[in-house]
Amino acid sequence: MTDYGRTLLSNNPHVKFYNAQRGYVKATLTQSSWTTDYKVIEKVTTPYAPIKTRARYIVEAGSAGAQRD
């Protein structure tokens, strides 16, 4: 976590996650939920570098807000 990330999260209670690593977001939608996986790549200069799930959040149908899984 960086100083910027701590400031961002403390000033924005609706923001649930901050990460300065490079990667992408994968969203999976079903009739009952929305799941978001934050994927990170350890070394962007290395071909076929491992990809890891840094965080996962789920919004269940009928429930307000995202919950960390």
Side-chain angles (χ1 to χ4, degrees), residues 4 34 38 50-51 63 65-66 68:
Y4 173 79
W34 177 317
Y38 292 88
I51 298 170
S63 298
R68 188 157 186 172

Side-chain angles (χ1 to χ4, degrees), residues 28-50:
T28 305
L29 286 70
T30 68
Q31 289 183 341
S32 61
S33 67
W34 177 317
T35 303
T36 301
D37 293 316
Y38 292 88
K39 303 286 193 171
V40 295
I41 301 169
E42 194 170 310
K43 293 186 176 185
V44 297
T45 56
T46 303
Y48 308 104

Side-chain angles (χ1 to χ4, degrees), residues 43-60:
K43 293 186 176 185
V44 297
T45 56
T46 303
Y48 308 104
I51 298 170
K52 297 179 183 177
T53 300
R54 179 73 173 79
R56 173 180 284 162
Y57 285 86
I58 300 173
V59 177
E60 298 286 344

Side-chain angles (χ1 to χ4, degrees), residues 17-33:
F17 179 72
Y18 170 81
N19 184 44
Q21 293 174 286
R22 291 188 183 182
Y24 62 94
V25 176
K26 175 187 169 195
T28 305
L29 286 70
T30 68
Q31 289 183 341
S32 61
S33 67

